[in-house]
Structures are given as structure tokens and as C-alpha cells.
Amino acid sequence: MSEEAVKSESPYVLRCFVNGKEELIDTKPAARLLTIVRDELSLTGTKRSCEIGRCGACMVLIEGKAVNSCLTMAYQCSEKQITTIEGIAVQGMDPVQQAFLEEGGFQCGYCTPGMIISVKALLDENPDPSDDEIAEALSGNICRCTGYGGIWRAVKRAAEGRRQTT
Amino acid sequence: MGMNIQETIASPLVWHPQTAAEAWQLKQTYDIEAVYTSGGTLLRTQWESGISAMPQHLIDLSAIRGLNELRVGEAGLVVGGQTSLQSCRSNALLSRHFPMVTEAIRTIAAPSVRQLATIGGNVASSIGDSIAALLGYDAEVIWFDGTREHRALLSEWLHEASAAKRGNERLLLSVLLPFEESLGETPVSNGAEDLTSQMKRFGAYHKVGRREAFTPSVVTACINGVLTCSNVIKQIRIALGGGQTVPVRLEGLEKEISGADVDGQLLRHVYDRTIELFEPREDLFASAAYRKSTAANLIVSELWKAAKDNTKQL
Ligand SMILES: Cc1cc2nc3c(=O)[nH]c(=O)nc-3n(C[C@H](O)[C@H](O)[C@H](O)COP(=O)(O)OP(=O)(O)OC[C@H]3O[C@@H](n4cnc5c(N)ncnc54)[C@H](O)[C@@H]3O)c2cc1C
Ligand code: FES
Ligand code: FES
């Protein structure tokens, strides 16, 4: 080989920034981010459900984009900024969370952290989404309780709130 | 809850080659113990479902220089294999010139999965839902054999991949989309518009799944062509895939109908020949017969619509 390819071995120290704080985590390079945030960092707001990218319960923000933490491997998070649901509310309740509360965007609440993360990513990128854009952005988040009516209203209200403050 | 079973029994070494040559060399060294890994989203699905075991080595392709961008090259739009599907989804050049590829990508998984998933992984899997749309534009692939880069038609690459005993082990670098004749506005999916005053370009991509959104495909179908103002077919490409079927162009049928008028007889012929020529793989959820008739209906209805829209505009 012309240059030595870099190798991530086990044990492996992942350096990343979780909710704004630098973390050095002893793990395995192919360990899943879901396992790391819940079991290593005790950030259990990120939910575990299907574990194959199909439900959205485990959603986190990586560099501001919503990504399924059950599909993301440790090495893919190296040096990245990761925000979990716990990091959304550091300066008090986020307007997206407030909108979910006011519009009844949840029942059992299991899907809610993932929903909030996806809505946050959507509105940060596109403060005035069309109905089609909302549907596409939330297509990877499954809710078994609400029938989506309250969630839909919450997204609309959060978008409306953001338009009024900008 | 603890780690899942794959994480406890296996912890692969992850290699981060900086060049295609290094990646290729690693694959030669570790052979079946190693897999090329782009976003890892399809691999993860295969590991979790037990279709394959987690290997001892992952060859992470994301650090190879120059593969995660979309740029205009001499021969067309070059989409680096490491470009995420979500970057492709929101790329203005891609949607302007190759709207059916954008549409195909819109229907793959969900945005959060597409942040990790790459176009290279989708194509290299040989069964990704972007492939039928890429075939509809006569896409090519650039791949590396350890010594040099090769350029090949995607249709041939897929054919060789399905014939290869150990599956597709060639290192895919980029996908190349040749610009179509007119560099002006090109067709919006399912629409028809001027190529020259005498010609209309038309095209459509459809994915049929078991649900409306966020669903694996049962059938993917792409049709892309040019009609004269009197509805004679000047150019036509028909590509079909879906599920575990390696997508194909129906080149035999394309030849048969080039130069023909779109009328009732031709549409019947297209239907019958699609049923004959398309050989989808069936599974527990959908038979081959269902997939064939779905594909034939999609192609015939799009051809009929294009001819009808064309006649209306006269
Ligand atoms: C929840 C979920 C939903 C999905 N829905 C869809 C869907 O609707 N449609 C669809 O098409 N797919 C779907 N997929 C599958 C997958 O996400 C896509 O096919 C994706 O594009 C694969 O890209 P990747 O970068 O993750 O590939 P990887 O998983 O990294 O690799 C896929 C395969 O290609 C090989 N490979 C990767 N890159 C290269 C390369 N450059 N050269 C040679 N070989 C290579 C790998 O070894 C592996 O065999 C879904 C997956 C999940 C988890
Ligand atoms: S647990 Fe990750 S998407 Fe379901
Ligand atoms: S509120 Fe129960 S799953 Fe959504």
C-alpha cells in the first residue's frame, strides 16, 4: 500500500461531542451509537425499538441532521457533534417540544423523542415546510398511538411559531 | 437492555483507506473476511436479519478522496459513490437534469437513513431502487480493478455482477449520468415537453411497494423516451427492477418499438412483451406474475399518457 490505511481497532476510543460536551468513549469501532448513548452515556431519552432503522425511535442529530442511531457505527461519529433529546432542552423547553405538548402530539410518548428530533432537523433546515416536505421528513418516524393527527398539528404549530419569531 | 447479539459476538476491525488502491489492497488481503462499507445501512440490515454475519474487517470507503461530491464532468454529471442519498435528493443539478433519479431517491427509505446511505452502496448492492432510474438515463459506472479505473455501462456492470460467482466485488467509485440531447429543461417525472419543436421528451419513474411510503419495493419501473409530434417513438429506454430482482433494461422490446407509432396495437405488444421478457424474483409477499403485470401496466400506461398528452398539445 502506498500509504498506511488508518485502522480502528477494538478497544477503540471514540472522540465526539455529545450535547455540546466533549466525550472520550471506550468502545468498539462498529458499536452502534444507540448502544453508546443509552448504555455508556446513560442518555436514555433516545429510545430503542426496531433496531434496524425502521421506526425512528432512536433518532439523534448528527451535525444537525436527523440520523437513526441504531444504524450509525461508532467510527462514523468520530469528531462529530451529536445532539440527543436531552440536548434539545438545555435552555428550557424547545418550541418544538412545547408545540407537541399543546397540540397533543403524543400518547404513550415512546416515539416522541424521535419525532421531536426529526421535526427539529426539518425546521432548522426548512422553517416553512410544505405538507409534502413534512410528510417526507417524518416518513421514518412511526407512531403506534396517535394516528398522527396531533403530531401533524404540532409540526404546523412549531413552524408557525418559528415564522412569527423570525 | 444490553448490546445486540451481533455486537457481543463480533467486533470487526475497521480500516479507513485514503485511496481506492488501498481499499482494493485491503480487500485482496482479507478477502472474504472483509467487506467494503459505505453507509453500512444495507449491511446492517443483513447482519441483523442473519442474512450475513458481521465480518472481521470493514473497509470504510468514506475517507477515499473525491468520492463524496457531485460534479459536472466532461461526459455528464459525476456522482461520487460516497455521496449520501440525501445529498443526492436535495441536489439541484441532479433534479434539474435527471429528475427521475431524484424521484427514485425520494422513495428510498427515509431522510434519516438516506443521511448515511450512499448512492455507491445502493448501486453496488445490485438491487437498490435508484438503479432502474439510472438505467433509464443510460448511466455508466466508474470502477477500480486494483490497477486502473474502468468505465462501463451500468447495465453491463449489473449483468456481470449477477453472473459473477461470488457476487459483486468490484470497487465502485462513481456513477456517471450522461446529459441528454437537450441541455435545457428536461422532463419532470411523468410529464412531457419540447425537445425540439417536432419532438417531445417524456419519462416516468414508479416504485410500487406494499405501503405508500417508507417501504421496500415490489416493482421499480422507469421509462424514458422521445416521441415525434405524430407519436412515433424516436428513442425509448425501459428499465425494470424491484425487490431482490437485479434491474434490467428491456433492450429487445426497445428495439422492436423504436420507429413505431404509439397506438392500441403497439400498447398491447408492449404489455405482452414486458410480461414475457421481465423475469422478477418472487418472495413470500408478491409472486413473479404479480410483479410482471404491475411492471407491464406501469410501462404501458406511461407510454399511453405520453402519446395522449402529445396529441392534446397539437
Ligand atoms: C430502514 C431501511 C430502509 C431501506 N429502504 C430502502 C429502499 O426503500 N430502497 C433501497 O434501494 N434500499 C433501501 N434500504 C437499503 C439501503 O439503505 C440502501 O440500499 C443504501 O443505498 C445502501 O447504501 P449504503 O451506503 O448504506 O451501503 P452499504 O450497506 O455500505 O453497502 C451495501 C453493499 O454494497 C457493497 N458496497 C458498498 N459500497 C461499495 C463500493 N463503493 N464498491 C463495491 N461494493 C460496495 C457493500 O459491501 C454491501 O454489500 C433500506 C435500508 C434500511 C435500513
Ligand atoms: S430503533 Fe432505530 S429506527 Fe427503530
Ligand atoms: S405516542 Fe405512542 S408510539 Fe407515538
Side-chain angles (χ1 to χ4, degrees):
Chain A
M1 268 175 262
S2 55
E3 296 165 53
E4 182 71 16
V6 188
K7 179 172 58 169
S8 303
E9 294 186 69
S10 303
Y12 161 76
V13 179
L14 166 66
R15 178 172 184 266
C16 59
F17 303 85
V18 180
N19 299 333
K21 181 169 159 247
E22 182 187 8
E23 298 283 356
L24 295 167
I25 304 157
D26 286 327
T27 182
K28 295 170 180 171
R32 296 183 309 172
L33 178 59
L34 173 62
T35 311
I36 294 170
V37 292
R38 285 183 58 90
D39 301 351
E40 303 293 329
L41 303 177
S42 300
L43 295 169
T44 52
T46 302
K47 297 300 174 210
R48 188 195 299 268
S49 182
C50 72
E51 304 193 62
I52 51 167
R54 295 198 181 271
C55 73
C58 68
M59 210 68 85
V60 297
L61 297 175
I62 301 182
E63 302 288 322
K65 311 275 185 202
V67 183
N68 310 71
S69 63
C70 67
L71 295 177
T72 311
M73 292 183 262
Y75 76 85
Q76 294 172 309
C77 302
S78 176
E79 301 298 322
K80 299 271 168 70
Q81 293 284 347
I82 294 158
T83 309
T84 66
I85 188 69
E86 291 85 350
I88 298 281
V90 275
Q91 288 155 347
M93 194 173 311
D94 188 90
V96 174
Q97 293 172 308
Q98 188 66 38
F100 269 70
L101 269 175
E102 287 169 6
E103 293 294 344
F106 59 92
Q107 285 178 24
C108 80
Y110 202 78
C111 69
T112 313
M115 288 284 178
I116 303 270
I117 293 278
S118 290
V119 176
K120 182 97 179 114
L122 167 69
L123 297 182
D124 284 351
E125 193 179 325
N126 178 3
D128 191 12
S130 66
D131 285 1
D132 282 351
E133 286 165 341
I134 296 172
E136 184 176 343
L138 294 188
S139 60
N141 292 79
I142 310 277
C143 174
R144 286 293 179 234
C145 302
T146 61
Y148 301 99
I151 294 172
W152 192 260
R153 288 194 304 275
V155 180
K156 293 283 201 184
R157 180 184 273 238
E160 181 60 37
R162 204 175 273 233
R163 274 197 300 277
Q164 281 168 3
T165 53
T166 50
Chain B
M1 274 183 273
M3 286 184 182
N4 83 327
I5 191 150
Q6 290 280 5
E7 279 175 274
T8 52
I9 56 174
S11 56
L13 286 181
V14 183
W15 297 86
H16 308 285
Q18 308 289 303
T19 63
E22 279 179 12
W24 189 85
Q25 187 57 55
L26 285 161
K27 181 72 182 135
Q28 299 309 299
T29 307
Y30 298 109
D31 197 27
I32 54 167
E33 309 291 345
V35 291
Y36 290 133
T37 308
S38 291
T41 59
L42 182 63
L43 285 167
R44 174 64 65 184
T45 308
Q46 294 170 345
W47 299 333
E48 297 295 330
S49 64
I51 293 174
S52 58
M54 232 180 177
Q56 288 177 20
H57 300 265
L58 300 184
I59 305 170
D60 162 34
L61 303 176
S62 66
I64 299 180
R65 287 182 284 270
L67 295 191
N68 57 6
E69 59 184 21
L70 219 144
R71 64 182 168 82
V72 177
E74 275 171 31
L77 195 62
V78 183
V79 189
Q82 295 303 297
T83 313
S84 74
L85 289 179
Q86 193 57 7
S87 307
C88 295
R89 165 76 183 96
S90 55
N91 186 276
L93 270 179
L94 190 71
S95 69
R96 174 155 184 235
H97 295 287
F98 305 100
M100 294 185 290
V101 175
T102 303
E103 173 59 13
I105 291 172
R106 184 187 69 78
T107 68
I108 294 175
S112 55
V113 179
R114 298 198 294 261
Q115 294 290 357
L116 291 170
T118 63
I119 186 91
N122 201 260
V123 171
S125 72
S126 295
I127 50 165
D129 289 340
S130 69
I131 297 176
L134 293 169
L135 289 174
Y137 290 111
D138 224 7
E140 298 176 29
V141 288
I142 296 165
W143 61 282
F144 185 74
D145 73 353
T147 321
R148 65 186 186 89
E149 292 182 10
H150 295 264
R151 206 169 125 181
L153 280 174
L154 172 59
S155 52
E156 283 165 14
W157 151 281
L158 290 168
H159 184 71
E160 283 163 25
S162 39
K165 274 205 194 92
R166 272 177 42 191
N168 196 357
E169 300 212 329
R170 292 166 298 177
L171 178 57
L172 178 70
L173 300 181
S174 313
V175 175
L176 178 71
L177 282 156
F179 287 120
E180 308 227 75
E181 235 166 275
S182 157
L183 282 186
E185 294 285 300
T186 44
V188 176
S189 177
N190 306 339
E193 65 184 278
D194 273 351
L195 181 72
T196 69
S197 55
Q198 301 300 310
M199 308 275 188
K200 303 281 175 194
R201 189 177 281 290
F202 69 97
Y205 170 86
H206 289 283
K207 166 171 166 174
V208 175
R210 283 182 285 124
R211 286 191 301 271
E212 193 183 311
F214 196 29
T215 179
S217 59
V218 172
V219 169
T220 53
C222 180
I223 182 166
N224 190 9
V226 176
L227 289 179
T228 67
C229 56
S230 53
N231 278 338
V232 174
I233 299 174
K234 286 299 281 183
Q235 257 181 39
I236 186 90
R237 289 187 209 114
I238 298 171
L240 298 170
Q244 295 300 307
T245 306
V246 177
V248 285
R249 282 264 302 273
L250 299 191
E251 290 180 64
L253 174 59
E254 292 168 8
K255 282 200 190 97
E256 287 162 20
I257 63 175
S258 288
D261 287 357
V262 181
D263 58 16
Q265 198 184 346
L266 180 111
L267 293 174
R268 261 190 302 279
H269 178 76
V270 171
Y271 184 90
D272 292 342
R273 291 289 282 151
T274 304
I275 301 266
E276 247 171 71
L277 296 171
F278 182 41
E279 293 176 354
R281 280 182 60 178
E282 59 187 359
D283 61 20
L284 286 175
F285 301 103
S287 66
Y290 174 80
R291 290 167 201 259
K292 278 169 179 269
S293 60
T294 303
N297 281 322
L298 290 171
I299 295 300
V300 168
S301 60
E302 286 302 335
L303 195 51
W304 174 75
K305 264 196 267 175
K308 197 168 91 117
D309 292 349
N310 203 13
T311 314
K312 256 198 258 164
Q313 284 170 22
L314 284 179

